[in-house]
Amino acid sequence: MSTDISGLRPSHVGIIMDGNGRWAKERGLPRTEGHREGLKAAKRIVKAAKELGIACISFYVFSTENWKRAQEEVNFLMFLIVDHLAQEFDFYRDNNVRVLHSGDLAGLPKNVQAEILKVVSDTAANESITVNLAINYGGKNEILRAVNALIREGSELKADIQEDDIRRHLDNPELPDPDLIIRTSGELRTSNFLLWGSAYSELYFSPKLWPDWEKADLEAAVDEFNRRQRLYGGMR
Ligand code: IPE
Ligand code: IPE
Ligand code: MG
């Protein structure tokens, strides 16, 4: 029996980019070099995703739990984010990338907030691919902020909150749920990523460290996704 897989291309892929620190350690380099290489890998994968016809890719850049790391590491990651967003407008323009942000913007340093808002606004009309940057993102935090926003609506708050009430208060409610979530570097967990949206995501775990990721790795993940049968609770 032949199966038409054309409809199975993931339209939204989420990536938990893990392993930057181990990549650097293996080479006797400081962790900061791992993060720099991780950023290069993210740019490669954006281009690859565009070529594969993926409409949206969400990158887990910095979690609400990552503040626990050493202050120098947190400072470097914030620097890298701001520096990248400020310097690489050409990358987004040349690749026609629309940038979105997920996460608690108000909890970020003011200069990081400003760069995020600027790139989101500057790229709003781009339409080849949407790149959603999860920065100061936690899945539980996103749901909490959605519930608090509902409560702030006050008079409209009914005792019987529906799924759609939560959904429309998520960070980017217009994005479809992620079809496929990839985690690199061998850890078998999702670490508070896209908690609501990933309810029925297919999960793909790769042993390869994030800075080593190439287009072929994304292709392998998409091929595997295409072989999955999604049931959503239904029958085979
Ligand atoms: C992922 O790499 C990047 C961030 C979480 C910011 P890690 O820094 O977690 O790398 P490992 O897990 O220490 O190898
Ligand atoms: C998840 O990676 C967060 C990001 C990739 C930004 P971590 O390295 O922080 O996750 P844990 O601590 O291993 O679960
Ligand atoms: Mg890690």
Side-chain angles (χ1 to χ4, degrees):
M1 196 182 84
S2 75
T3 317
D4 175 15
I5 59 163
S6 55
L8 293 177
R9 173 191 297 152
S11 61
H12 181 183
V13 175
I15 305 193
I16 303 168
M17 308 179 286
D18 199 12
N20 294 352
R22 278 162 280 180
W23 184 93
K25 193 169 181 206
E26 278 180 1
R27 288 161 180 77
L29 296 169
R31 290 177 59 85
T32 48
E33 287 310 302
H35 295 311
R36 283 190 195 280
E37 286 302 315
L39 176 56
K40 288 187 197 162
K43 290 170 67 182
R44 279 199 298 278
I45 295 302
V46 168
K47 287 188 184 175
K50 194 177 120 175
E51 285 158 16
L52 293 175
I54 293 166
C56 175
I57 187 155
S58 286
F59 286 111
Y60 207 0
V61 176
F62 190 91
S63 76
T64 48
E65 286 71 38
N66 287 147
W67 298 107
K68 290 179 199 158
R69 295 188 177 201
Q71 193 61 46
E72 313 85 76
E73 167 132 339
V74 170
N75 290 347
F76 181 79
L77 288 167
M78 291 299 142
F79 155 77
L80 200 58
I81 290 166
V82 167
D83 189 57
H84 164 75
L85 294 177
Q87 306 277 328
E88 306 237 32
F89 182 70
D90 290 358
F91 173 81
Y92 293 115
R93 188 199 49 219
D94 296 349
N95 291 288
N96 201 14
V97 174
R98 175 176 73 141
V99 178
L100 296 177
H101 170 250
S102 286
D104 190 355
L105 192 68
L108 284 162
K110 286 277 182 286
N111 63 329
V112 182
Q113 290 186 34
E115 285 306 334
I116 290 172
L117 291 173
K118 184 169 189 312
V119 74
V120 168
S121 143
D122 287 352
T123 62
N126 294 349
E127 50 195 15
S128 282
I129 185 168
T130 295
V131 169
N132 178 33
L133 301 176
I135 306 174
N136 195 22
Y137 178 87
K140 288 187 180 179
N141 175 269
E142 182 183 30
I143 294 169
L144 272 177
R145 284 184 292 106
V147 171
N148 281 312
L150 261 177
I151 291 171
R152 277 196 297 275
E153 283 180 2
S155 59
E156 286 177 33
L157 184 63
K158 306 181 296 280
D160 57 340
I161 293 174
Q162 306 295 307
E163 280 192 17
D164 269 353
D165 295 322
I166 304 272
R167 166 174 287 282
R168 68 190 160 84
H169 285 97
L170 294 179
D171 288 334
N172 290 293
E174 73 281 16
L175 293 185
D177 285 345
D179 302 292
L180 170 65
I181 291 190
I182 295 169
R183 183 170 188 143
T184 65
S185 89
E187 308 305 334
L188 305 181
R189 56 180 172 268
T190 54
S191 302
N192 205 10
F193 191 42
L194 303 179
L195 205 52
W196 182 277
S198 67
Y200 261 102
S201 303
E202 296 295 326
L203 304 179
Y204 179 88
F205 297 101
S206 159
K208 215 181 213 191
L209 304 176
W210 175 247
D212 291 327
W213 262 58
E214 305 278 354
K215 184 179 183 186
D217 299 295
L218 184 63
E219 278 170 332
V222 169
D223 284 349
E224 157 89 27
F225 172 83
N226 284 337
R227 289 192 291 273
R228 303 269 178 96
Q229 191 181 11
R230 304 184 80 184
L231 293 175
Y232 298 100
M235 286 200 301
R236 200 165 293 277

